[in-house]
Amino acid sequence: MRYRILGSTGLSVSVIGFGASPLGNVFSPVPQAGDDALVGRAVDAGINFFDVSPYYGDGLAEERLGTALVPHRRNVVLATKCGRNGSDRFDFSAKGITASLETSLRRLRTDAVDLIQAHDIEFGDIDQVIHETIPALWELKRQGKARYVGITGYWPGLLARVAAEAPVDTVLNYCHWNLFSNDMDEALCPAAARLGIGLINASPLHMGILGGVKLPEWHPAPPAVRAAGAEVVGFCRSSGVDPATLSMWTCLQHPSVASTLMGFASAGQVDSACAALDFDPDAEVLQTVQRQVSPVYNTSWPQGRPENEDTKRAMAGLEEDEIKVAKA
Ligand code: NAD
């Protein structure tokens, strides 16, 4: 494993991080009996950064991860979130997030988390996020219930704007720097570098598209993006390349991301990701994959409050049938 320092926190995190959303059964059912082996395999591989949220399976992912991490808790960096409680249930109030962290600590079987993040801020009232939510996160830090504070979300530009207005230790962005996109580099990476913020990238498989299995109903990517993903998976498999390894390898090339979070449902998936550490992709395979994704490169989908400017721009760029899928 390789490690990087997470911004100004000083925390040393593995470049491959453990995304625990699959433990909430959000993609498909994951047998609980395998949790200890799955987390154990990740720890054995040197993964020390774990990310979860109360939103993943309505607390289930936190329960499962917390239980499996009991023997490892002192040796890992544990991040959870607050503010998002369901697909359309949000509470970014100081009272709400304070209560949320208390519940998370119980589920995670720990006295404090290393990182508490406001989850999917594009669904919040941005004034409230800046003036109430983030100050409340700092209060939780002052109380010793979290060591560091962060924000997460879909739109890199929005994350950069909020981080410039309210101090945070970390920013987590997803689906904006992987085989399908690189627009995290436009506003967010320069802002993070300027502000000394730790940068976390998530969803190297574009939320499972490059895993090559049936996607859940809620998946927001437009049909053209899914089709390009299926083409990439087919081509990789016929070329003897694991698309998950190639995807993680791509993300590991980013110079300033501290950790890339992949969602894991099995020990084999941990192995696929870790194979990226000494992967050496064939140049022709890489070029073909880049050609396959080029028609949909940097495609976004509506995400967040409808009055949010970034969401409006994404809607304007989508065809009517794509918007229906993205809204579903
Ligand atoms: P991902 O791109 O990591 O894909 C995960 C899916 O791919 C899961 O279904 C997993 O079982 C499957 N998968 C993993 N390895 C595979 C392999 N080798 N072969 C086939 N399938 C494989 O997407 P993600 O889970 O959305 O993102 C990773 C993590 O990042 C999340 O678990 C979460 O911790 C974090 N995240 C946070 C936010 C946020 O805070 N707003 C958003 C997205 C992701």
Side-chain angles (χ1 to χ4, degrees), residues 49 51-54 62 78-83 97-98 100-102 104-105 108 112-119 133-134 136-142 145-152 168-170:
F49 185 38
D51 176 78
V52 68
S53 165
E62 285 190 326
L78 178 57
T80 193
K81 312 193 186 86
C82 55
I97 65 165
T98 304
S100 176
L101 180 56
E102 285 299 337
S104 292
L105 293 178
L108 289 166
V113 287
D114 298 288
L115 178 62
I116 180 72
Q117 307 158 100
H119 194 171
T133 314
I134 294 174
L137 296 181
W138 281 91
E139 174 58 20
L140 292 169
K141 177 173 173 169
R142 199 193 60 73
K145 293 184 175 159
R147 291 173 70 198
Y148 298 101
V149 310
I151 51 176
T152 83
V168 289
D169 296 307
T170 66

mmCIF file of all heavy atoms in Angstrom, residues 49 51-54 62 78-83 97-98 100-102 104-105 108 112-119 133-134 136-142 145-152 168-170:
data_model
loop_
_atom_site.group_PDB
_atom_site.id
_atom_site.type_symbol
_atom_site.label_atom_id
_atom_site.label_comp_id
_atom_site.label_asym_id
_atom_site.label_seq_id
_atom_site.Cartn_x
_atom_site.Cartn_y
_atom_site.Cartn_z
ATOM 1 N N PHE A 49 -8.131 3.685 5.624
ATOM 2 C CA PHE A 49 -9.110 4.767 5.568
ATOM 3 C C PHE A 49 -10.474 4.182 5.229
ATOM 4 O O PHE A 49 -10.631 3.521 4.188
ATOM 5 C CB PHE A 49 -8.663 5.791 4.513
ATOM 6 C CG PHE A 49 -9.527 7.025 4.453
ATOM 7 C CD1 PHE A 49 -10.056 7.593 5.593
ATOM 8 C CD2 PHE A 49 -9.787 7.640 3.235
ATOM 9 C CE1 PHE A 49 -10.852 8.734 5.534
ATOM 10 C CE2 PHE A 49 -10.574 8.775 3.156
ATOM 11 C CZ PHE A 49 -11.108 9.330 4.310
ATOM 12 N N ASP A 51 -14.728 4.886 5.012
ATOM 13 C CA ASP A 51 -15.747 5.935 4.887
ATOM 14 C C ASP A 51 -17.142 5.328 4.883
ATOM 15 O O ASP A 51 -17.400 4.355 4.164
ATOM 16 C CB ASP A 51 -15.524 6.704 3.570
ATOM 17 C CG ASP A 51 -16.596 7.749 3.331
ATOM 18 O OD1 ASP A 51 -16.527 8.825 3.954
ATOM 19 O OD2 ASP A 51 -17.514 7.487 2.521
ATOM 20 N N VAL A 52 -18.042 5.936 5.680
ATOM 21 C CA VAL A 52 -19.400 5.407 5.765
ATOM 22 C C VAL A 52 -20.348 6.587 5.973
ATOM 23 O O VAL A 52 -19.912 7.747 5.997
ATOM 24 C CB VAL A 52 -19.466 4.337 6.905
ATOM 25 C CG1 VAL A 52 -19.282 4.949 8.283
ATOM 26 C CG2 VAL A 52 -20.735 3.496 6.829
ATOM 27 N N SER A 53 -21.628 6.329 6.101
ATOM 28 C CA SER A 53 -22.617 7.379 6.352
ATOM 29 C C SER A 53 -23.868 6.736 6.935
ATOM 30 O O SER A 53 -24.196 5.594 6.588
ATOM 31 C CB SER A 53 -22.981 8.073 5.031
ATOM 32 O OG SER A 53 -24.157 8.845 5.185
ATOM 33 N N PRO A 54 -24.618 7.502 7.758
ATOM 34 C CA PRO A 54 -25.902 6.975 8.241
ATOM 35 C C PRO A 54 -26.866 6.713 7.090
ATOM 36 O O PRO A 54 -27.780 5.888 7.206
ATOM 37 C CB PRO A 54 -26.453 8.100 9.135
ATOM 38 C CG PRO A 54 -25.403 9.130 9.255
ATOM 39 C CD PRO A 54 -24.310 8.835 8.282
ATOM 40 N N GLU A 62 -23.221 1.596 8.860
ATOM 41 C CA GLU A 62 -22.463 1.994 10.057
ATOM 42 C C GLU A 62 -22.432 0.851 11.078
ATOM 43 O O GLU A 62 -21.376 0.569 11.659
ATOM 44 C CB GLU A 62 -23.083 3.244 10.692
ATOM 45 C CG GLU A 62 -22.790 4.517 9.911
ATOM 46 C CD GLU A 62 -23.206 5.783 10.667
ATOM 47 O OE1 GLU A 62 -24.213 5.735 11.399
ATOM 48 O OE2 GLU A 62 -22.536 6.815 10.514
ATOM 49 N N LEU A 78 -11.287 6.671 10.553
ATOM 50 C CA LEU A 78 -12.708 6.376 10.315
ATOM 51 C C LEU A 78 -13.477 7.670 10.052
ATOM 52 O O LEU A 78 -13.466 8.599 10.861
ATOM 53 C CB LEU A 78 -13.279 5.652 11.546
ATOM 54 C CG LEU A 78 -14.765 5.305 11.525
ATOM 55 C CD1 LEU A 78 -15.128 4.438 10.324
ATOM 56 C CD2 LEU A 78 -15.160 4.585 12.828
ATOM 57 N N ALA A 79 -14.144 7.689 8.896
ATOM 58 C CA ALA A 79 -14.928 8.867 8.503
ATOM 59 C C ALA A 79 -16.400 8.495 8.405
ATOM 60 O O ALA A 79 -16.748 7.444 7.854
ATOM 61 C CB ALA A 79 -14.444 9.379 7.145
ATOM 62 N N THR A 80 -17.268 9.358 8.956
ATOM 63 C CA THR A 80 -18.688 9.203 8.658
ATOM 64 C C THR A 80 -19.264 10.564 8.285
ATOM 65 O O THR A 80 -18.505 11.526 8.080
ATOM 66 C CB THR A 80 -19.467 8.504 9.792
ATOM 67 O OG1 THR A 80 -20.761 8.122 9.269
ATOM 68 C CG2 THR A 80 -19.676 9.400 11.008
ATOM 69 N N LYS A 81 -20.578 10.616 8.143
ATOM 70 C CA LYS A 81 -21.204 11.832 7.608
ATOM 71 C C LYS A 81 -22.467 12.172 8.387
ATOM 72 O O LYS A 81 -22.916 11.408 9.241
ATOM 73 C CB LYS A 81 -21.535 11.624 6.124
ATOM 74 C CG LYS A 81 -20.377 11.053 5.324
ATOM 75 C CD LYS A 81 -20.590 11.130 3.837
ATOM 76 C CE LYS A 81 -19.475 10.408 3.100
ATOM 77 N NZ LYS A 81 -19.719 8.967 2.934
ATOM 78 N N CYS A 82 -23.061 13.298 8.033
ATOM 79 C CA CYS A 82 -24.316 13.706 8.647
ATOM 80 C C CYS A 82 -25.012 14.685 7.711
ATOM 81 O O CYS A 82 -24.384 15.221 6.793
ATOM 82 C CB CYS A 82 -24.048 14.377 9.998
ATOM 83 S SG CYS A 82 -22.920 15.752 9.867
ATOM 84 N N GLY A 83 -26.285 14.881 7.922
ATOM 85 C CA GLY A 83 -27.040 15.831 7.091
ATOM 86 C C GLY A 83 -27.922 15.141 6.087
ATOM 87 O O GLY A 83 -28.987 15.633 5.734
ATOM 88 N N ILE A 97 -27.512 17.566 13.018
ATOM 89 C CA ILE A 97 -26.237 16.860 12.778
ATOM 90 C C ILE A 97 -25.579 16.437 14.097
ATOM 91 O O ILE A 97 -24.894 15.418 14.154
ATOM 92 C CB ILE A 97 -25.273 17.674 11.895
ATOM 93 C CG1 ILE A 97 -24.832 18.935 12.586
ATOM 94 C CG2 ILE A 97 -25.847 17.960 10.529
ATOM 95 C CD1 ILE A 97 -23.638 19.543 11.897
ATOM 96 N N THR A 98 -25.828 17.197 15.146
ATOM 97 C CA THR A 98 -25.274 16.820 16.454
ATOM 98 C C THR A 98 -25.900 15.505 16.921
ATOM 99 O O THR A 98 -25.207 14.583 17.367
ATOM 100 C CB THR A 98 -25.525 17.955 17.480
ATOM 101 O OG1 THR A 98 -24.946 19.154 16.945
ATOM 102 C CG2 THR A 98 -24.903 17.645 18.826
ATOM 103 N N SER A 100 -27.281 13.331 14.965
ATOM 104 C CA SER A 100 -26.880 12.299 14.010
ATOM 105 C C SER A 100 -25.531 11.695 14.399
ATOM 106 O O SER A 100 -25.354 10.469 14.394
ATOM 107 C CB SER A 100 -26.815 12.917 12.603
ATOM 108 O OG SER A 100 -26.352 11.983 11.670
ATOM 109 N N LEU A 101 -24.576 12.559 14.766
ATOM 110 C CA LEU A 101 -23.254 12.010 15.119
ATOM 111 C C LEU A 101 -23.337 11.151 16.381
ATOM 112 O O LEU A 101 -22.678 10.107 16.457
ATOM 113 C CB LEU A 101 -22.209 13.128 15.276
ATOM 114 C CG LEU A 101 -20.797 12.635 15.633
ATOM 115 C CD1 LEU A 101 -20.261 11.618 14.609
ATOM 116 C CD2 LEU A 101 -19.810 13.784 15.781
ATOM 117 N N GLU A 102 -24.151 11.558 17.346
ATOM 118 C CA GLU A 102 -24.305 10.736 18.560
ATOM 119 C C GLU A 102 -24.746 9.315 18.183
ATOM 120 O O GLU A 102 -24.213 8.324 18.673
ATOM 121 C CB GLU A 102 -25.350 11.356 19.507
ATOM 122 C CG GLU A 102 -24.867 12.570 20.269
ATOM 123 C CD GLU A 102 -23.682 12.289 21.184
ATOM 124 O OE1 GLU A 102 -23.477 11.129 21.588
ATOM 125 O OE2 GLU A 102 -22.932 13.246 21.476
ATOM 126 N N SER A 104 -24.434 7.882 15.237
ATOM 127 C CA SER A 104 -23.363 7.223 14.474
ATOM 128 C C SER A 104 -22.298 6.642 15.403
ATOM 129 O O SER A 104 -21.803 5.531 15.182
ATOM 130 C CB SER A 104 -22.703 8.222 13.516
ATOM 131 O OG SER A 104 -23.602 8.596 12.499
ATOM 132 N N LEU A 105 -21.936 7.398 16.442
ATOM 133 C CA LEU A 105 -20.890 6.916 17.362
ATOM 134 C C LEU A 105 -21.325 5.610 18.026
ATOM 135 O O LEU A 105 -20.521 4.692 18.187
ATOM 136 C CB LEU A 105 -20.562 7.983 18.417
ATOM 137 C CG LEU A 105 -19.885 9.258 17.892
ATOM 138 C CD1 LEU A 105 -19.653 10.253 19.035
ATOM 139 C CD2 LEU A 105 -18.562 8.949 17.201
ATOM 140 N N LEU A 108 -21.129 2.891 15.417
ATOM 141 C CA LEU A 108 -19.738 2.605 15.025
ATOM 142 C C LEU A 108 -18.902 2.090 16.201
ATOM 143 O O LEU A 108 -17.711 1.795 16.033
ATOM 144 C CB LEU A 108 -19.093 3.869 14.422
ATOM 145 C CG LEU A 108 -19.632 4.259 13.045
ATOM 146 C CD1 LEU A 108 -19.208 5.687 12.665
ATOM 147 C CD2 LEU A 108 -19.152 3.276 11.966
ATOM 148 N N ALA A 112 -15.263 8.557 19.239
ATOM 149 C CA ALA A 112 -15.052 9.685 18.334
ATOM 150 C C ALA A 112 -14.705 9.155 16.949
ATOM 151 O O ALA A 112 -14.072 8.098 16.840
ATOM 152 C CB ALA A 112 -13.901 10.559 18.840
ATOM 153 N N VAL A 113 -15.118 9.899 15.938
ATOM 154 C CA VAL A 113 -14.664 9.541 14.585
ATOM 155 C C VAL A 113 -13.487 10.441 14.218
ATOM 156 O O VAL A 113 -13.289 11.505 14.818
ATOM 157 C CB VAL A 113 -15.785 9.686 13.525
ATOM 158 C CG1 VAL A 113 -16.816 8.583 13.666
ATOM 159 C CG2 VAL A 113 -16.414 11.061 13.528
ATOM 160 N N ASP A 114 -12.710 10.011 13.251
ATOM 161 C CA ASP A 114 -11.586 10.837 12.819
ATOM 162 C C ASP A 114 -12.052 11.970 11.920
ATOM 163 O O ASP A 114 -11.434 13.035 11.886
ATOM 164 C CB ASP A 114 -10.556 9.945 12.103
ATOM 165 C CG ASP A 114 -10.027 8.891 13.049
ATOM 166 O OD1 ASP A 114 -9.264 9.255 13.955
ATOM 167 O OD2 ASP A 114 -10.434 7.718 12.932
ATOM 168 N N LEU A 115 -13.144 11.725 11.179
ATOM 169 C CA LEU A 115 -13.622 12.756 10.242
ATOM 170 C C LEU A 115 -15.143 12.735 10.215
ATOM 171 O O LEU A 115 -15.751 11.674 10.032
ATOM 172 C CB LEU A 115 -13.056 12.443 8.839
ATOM 173 C CG LEU A 115 -13.466 13.355 7.688
ATOM 174 C CD1 LEU A 115 -12.992 14.792 7.921
ATOM 175 C CD2 LEU A 115 -12.864 12.824 6.369
ATOM 176 N N ILE A 116 -15.752 13.911 10.415
ATOM 177 C CA ILE A 116 -17.211 14.031 10.253
ATOM 178 C C ILE A 116 -17.461 14.980 9.069
ATOM 179 O O ILE A 116 -16.889 16.061 9.007
ATOM 180 C CB ILE A 116 -17.905 14.525 11.550
ATOM 181 C CG1 ILE A 116 -19.419 14.629 11.355
ATOM 182 C CG2 ILE A 116 -17.354 15.853 12.043
ATOM 183 C CD1 ILE A 116 -20.135 13.317 11.274
ATOM 184 N N GLN A 117 -18.302 14.519 8.139
ATOM 185 C CA GLN A 117 -18.510 15.280 6.910
ATOM 186 C C GLN A 117 -19.996 15.604 6.706
ATOM 187 O O GLN A 117 -20.863 14.746 6.913
ATOM 188 C CB GLN A 117 -18.037 14.452 5.708
ATOM 189 C CG GLN A 117 -16.602 13.939 5.834
ATOM 190 C CD GLN A 117 -16.350 12.730 4.928
ATOM 191 O OE1 GLN A 117 -15.784 12.868 3.853
ATOM 192 N NE2 GLN A 117 -16.767 11.550 5.346
ATOM 193 N N ALA A 118 -20.279 16.817 6.271
ATOM 194 C CA ALA A 118 -21.641 17.164 5.852
ATOM 195 C C ALA A 118 -21.875 16.474 4.509
ATOM 196 O O ALA A 118 -21.111 16.676 3.559
ATOM 197 C CB ALA A 118 -21.785 18.672 5.722
ATOM 198 N N HIS A 119 -22.910 15.649 4.441
ATOM 199 C CA HIS A 119 -23.109 14.710 3.331
ATOM 200 C C HIS A 119 -23.968 15.307 2.210
ATOM 201 O O HIS A 119 -25.122 15.649 2.428
ATOM 202 C CB HIS A 119 -23.775 13.437 3.880
ATOM 203 C CG HIS A 119 -23.739 12.272 2.946
ATOM 204 N ND1 HIS A 119 -24.119 11.014 3.335
ATOM 205 C CD2 HIS A 119 -23.363 12.155 1.646
ATOM 206 C CE1 HIS A 119 -23.988 10.186 2.314
ATOM 207 N NE2 HIS A 119 -23.546 10.855 1.278
ATOM 208 N N THR A 133 -24.229 24.600 9.489
ATOM 209 C CA THR A 133 -23.772 23.207 9.512
ATOM 210 C C THR A 133 -22.269 23.120 9.811
ATOM 211 O O THR A 133 -21.849 22.401 10.733
ATOM 212 C CB THR A 133 -24.055 22.535 8.142
ATOM 213 O OG1 THR A 133 -25.379 22.846 7.735
ATOM 214 C CG2 THR A 133 -23.846 21.047 8.219
ATOM 215 N N ILE A 134 -21.476 23.839 9.026
ATOM 216 C CA ILE A 134 -20.016 23.703 9.189
ATOM 217 C C ILE A 134 -19.572 24.224 10.574
ATOM 218 O O ILE A 134 -18.792 23.543 11.258
ATOM 219 C CB ILE A 134 -19.255 24.347 8.002
ATOM 220 C CG1 ILE A 134 -19.577 23.539 6.729
ATOM 221 C CG2 ILE A 134 -17.750 24.391 8.273
ATOM 222 C CD1 ILE A 134 -19.024 24.109 5.432
ATOM 223 N N ALA A 136 -21.259 24.010 13.225
ATOM 224 C CA ALA A 136 -21.662 22.949 14.175
ATOM 225 C C ALA A 136 -20.688 21.770 14.116
ATOM 226 O O ALA A 136 -20.409 21.123 15.129
ATOM 227 C CB ALA A 136 -23.082 22.487 13.873
ATOM 228 N N LEU A 137 -20.148 21.503 12.929
ATOM 229 C CA LEU A 137 -19.145 20.432 12.822
ATOM 230 C C LEU A 137 -17.896 20.811 13.636
ATOM 231 O O LEU A 137 -17.295 19.971 14.307
ATOM 232 C CB LEU A 137 -18.768 20.185 11.358
ATOM 233 C CG LEU A 137 -19.866 19.667 10.412
ATOM 234 C CD1 LEU A 137 -19.310 19.452 9.014
ATOM 235 C CD2 LEU A 137 -20.484 18.372 10.933
ATOM 236 N N TRP A 138 -17.522 22.084 13.565
ATOM 237 C CA TRP A 138 -16.356 22.537 14.347
ATOM 238 C C TRP A 138 -16.623 22.412 15.843
ATOM 239 O O TRP A 138 -15.717 22.115 16.624
ATOM 240 C CB TRP A 138 -15.982 23.981 13.965
ATOM 241 C CG TRP A 138 -15.221 23.987 12.672
ATOM 242 C CD1 TRP A 138 -15.749 24.099 11.424
ATOM 243 C CD2 TRP A 138 -13.815 23.817 12.492
ATOM 244 N NE1 TRP A 138 -14.763 24.010 10.470
ATOM 245 C CE2 TRP A 138 -13.558 23.851 11.097
ATOM 246 C CE3 TRP A 138 -12.741 23.645 13.359
ATOM 247 C CZ2 TRP A 138 -12.287 23.703 10.562
ATOM 248 C CZ3 TRP A 138 -11.461 23.514 12.822
ATOM 249 C CH2 TRP A 138 -11.254 23.546 11.443
ATOM 250 N N GLU A 139 -17.860 22.642 16.234
ATOM 251 C CA GLU A 139 -18.205 22.489 17.661
ATOM 252 C C GLU A 139 -18.050 21.012 18.072
ATOM 253 O O GLU A 139 -17.537 20.713 19.157
ATOM 254 C CB GLU A 139 -19.643 22.998 17.897
ATOM 255 C CG GLU A 139 -20.187 22.763 19.298
ATOM 256 C CD GLU A 139 -19.359 23.384 20.432
ATOM 257 O OE1 GLU A 139 -18.559 24.314 20.180
ATOM 258 O OE2 GLU A 139 -19.492 22.897 21.583
ATOM 259 N N LEU A 140 -18.454 20.106 17.180
ATOM 260 C CA LEU A 140 -18.297 18.670 17.483
ATOM 261 C C LEU A 140 -16.817 18.322 17.602
ATOM 262 O O LEU A 140 -16.411 17.491 18.418
ATOM 263 C CB LEU A 140 -18.975 17.822 16.404
ATOM 264 C CG LEU A 140 -20.510 17.934 16.371
ATOM 265 C CD1 LEU A 140 -21.080 17.275 15.120
ATOM 266 C CD2 LEU A 140 -21.110 17.305 17.628
ATOM 267 N N LYS A 141 -16.006 18.982 16.762
ATOM 268 C CA LYS A 141 -14.551 18.778 16.841
ATOM 269 C C LYS A 141 -14.038 19.297 18.193
ATOM 270 O O LYS A 141 -13.260 18.627 18.876
ATOM 271 C CB LYS A 141 -13.891 19.523 15.668
ATOM 272 C CG LYS A 141 -12.378 19.473 15.632
ATOM 273 C CD LYS A 141 -11.865 20.085 14.340
ATOM 274 C CE LYS A 141 -10.356 20.216 14.322
ATOM 275 N NZ LYS A 141 -9.812 20.553 13.005
ATOM 276 N N ARG A 142 -14.529 20.482 18.581
ATOM 277 C CA ARG A 142 -14.094 21.056 19.859
ATOM 278 C C ARG A 142 -14.441 20.134 21.020
ATOM 279 O O ARG A 142 -13.677 19.980 21.975
ATOM 280 C CB ARG A 142 -14.760 22.433 20.042
ATOM 281 C CG ARG A 142 -14.080 23.348 21.064
ATOM 282 C CD ARG A 142 -14.939 24.533 21.419
ATOM 283 N NE ARG A 142 -16.222 24.184 21.987
ATOM 284 C CZ ARG A 142 -16.423 23.712 23.222
ATOM 285 N NH1 ARG A 142 -15.411 23.559 24.042
ATOM 286 N NH2 ARG A 142 -17.637 23.402 23.646
ATOM 287 N N LYS A 145 -15.607 14.875 19.648
ATOM 288 C CA LYS A 145 -16.382 13.774 19.049
ATOM 289 C C LYS A 145 -15.947 13.471 17.620
ATOM 290 O O LYS A 145 -16.300 12.430 17.059
ATOM 291 C CB LYS A 145 -17.874 14.102 19.098
ATOM 292 C CG LYS A 145 -18.334 14.128 20.539
ATOM 293 C CD LYS A 145 -19.789 14.356 20.701
ATOM 294 C CE LYS A 145 -20.095 14.235 22.187
ATOM 295 N NZ LYS A 145 -21.318 14.884 22.558
ATOM 296 N N ALA A 146 -15.211 14.402 17.034
ATOM 297 C CA ALA A 146 -14.635 14.191 15.698
ATOM 298 C C ALA A 146 -13.297 14.922 15.674
ATOM 299 O O ALA A 146 -13.172 16.012 16.242
ATOM 300 C CB ALA A 146 -15.564 14.752 14.627
ATOM 301 N N ARG A 147 -12.320 14.323 15.014
ATOM 302 C CA ARG A 147 -10.997 14.981 15.006
ATOM 303 C C ARG A 147 -10.900 16.042 13.914
ATOM 304 O O ARG A 147 -10.193 17.022 14.045
ATOM 305 C CB ARG A 147 -9.899 13.942 14.812
ATOM 306 C CG ARG A 147 -9.741 13.036 16.027
ATOM 307 C CD ARG A 147 -8.765 11.919 15.748
ATOM 308 N NE ARG A 147 -7.391 12.380 15.635
ATOM 309 C CZ ARG A 147 -6.410 11.677 15.063
ATOM 310 N NH1 ARG A 147 -6.681 10.485 14.555
ATOM 311 N NH2 ARG A 147 -5.201 12.140 14.993
ATOM 312 N N TYR A 148 -11.613 15.806 12.798
ATOM 313 C CA TYR A 148 -11.544 16.749 11.665
ATOM 314 C C TYR A 148 -12.915 16.866 11.016
ATOM 315 O O TYR A 148 -13.769 15.991 11.201
ATOM 316 C CB TYR A 148 -10.486 16.292 10.650
ATOM 317 C CG TYR A 148 -9.112 16.270 11.266
ATOM 318 C CD1 TYR A 148 -8.528 15.075 11.687
ATOM 319 C CD2 TYR A 148 -8.416 17.458 11.482
ATOM 320 C CE1 TYR A 148 -7.292 15.062 12.304
ATOM 321 C CE2 TYR A 148 -7.174 17.461 12.106
ATOM 322 C CZ TYR A 148 -6.614 16.267 12.501
ATOM 323 O OH TYR A 148 -5.396 16.268 13.123
ATOM 324 N N VAL A 149 -13.093 17.951 10.233
ATOM 325 C CA VAL A 149 -14.410 18.175 9.616
ATOM 326 C C VAL A 149 -14.273 18.332 8.101
ATOM 327 O O VAL A 149 -13.263 18.828 7.597
ATOM 328 C CB VAL A 149 -15.112 19.424 10.208
ATOM 329 C CG1 VAL A 149 -15.124 19.388 11.720
ATOM 330 C CG2 VAL A 149 -14.496 20.710 9.711
ATOM 331 N N GLY A 150 -15.319 17.902 7.402
ATOM 332 C CA GLY A 150 -15.268 17.979 5.940
ATOM 333 C C GLY A 150 -16.654 18.128 5.330
ATOM 334 O O GLY A 150 -17.678 18.100 6.025
ATOM 335 N N ILE A 151 -16.652 18.291 4.019
ATOM 336 C CA ILE A 151 -17.902 18.341 3.255
ATOM 337 C C ILE A 151 -17.793 17.352 2.101
ATOM 338 O O ILE A 151 -16.685 17.053 1.625
ATOM 339 C CB ILE A 151 -18.206 19.759 2.705
ATOM 340 C CG1 ILE A 151 -16.996 20.351 1.947
ATOM 341 C CG2 ILE A 151 -18.648 20.700 3.811
ATOM 342 C CD1 ILE A 151 -17.266 21.703 1.293
ATOM 343 N N THR A 152 -18.947 16.859 1.665
ATOM 344 C CA THR A 152 -18.945 15.954 0.518
ATOM 345 C C THR A 152 -20.038 16.386 -0.457
ATOM 346 O O THR A 152 -20.993 17.053 -0.074
ATOM 347 C CB THR A 152 -19.229 14.481 0.910
ATOM 348 O OG1 THR A 152 -20.645 14.278 1.035
ATOM 349 C CG2 THR A 152 -18.540 14.080 2.192
ATOM 350 N N VAL A 168 -12.847 24.091 6.202
ATOM 351 C CA VAL A 168 -13.014 22.643 6.383
ATOM 352 C C VAL A 168 -11.651 21.975 6.230
ATOM 353 O O VAL A 168 -10.756 22.522 5.586
ATOM 354 C CB VAL A 168 -14.007 22.025 5.357
ATOM 355 C CG1 VAL A 168 -15.434 22.454 5.648
ATOM 356 C CG2 VAL A 168 -13.624 22.346 3.926
ATOM 357 N N ASP A 169 -11.500 20.803 6.818
ATOM 358 C CA ASP A 169 -10.234 20.067 6.707
ATOM 359 C C ASP A 169 -10.172 19.240 5.429
ATOM 360 O O ASP A 169 -9.092 19.013 4.884
ATOM 361 C CB ASP A 169 -10.074 19.131 7.912
ATOM 362 C CG ASP A 169 -9.974 19.882 9.232
ATOM 363 O OD1 ASP A 169 -9.119 20.791 9.325
ATOM 364 O OD2 ASP A 169 -10.750 19.569 10.150
ATOM 365 N N THR A 170 -11.335 18.725 4.994
ATOM 366 C CA THR A 170 -11.348 17.825 3.833
ATOM 367 C C THR A 170 -12.547 18.104 2.935
ATOM 368 O O THR A 170 -13.562 18.636 3.383
ATOM 369 C CB THR A 170 -11.454 16.340 4.275
ATOM 370 O OG1 THR A 170 -12.722 16.137 4.888
ATOM 371 C CG2 THR A 170 -10.349 15.940 5.231
#
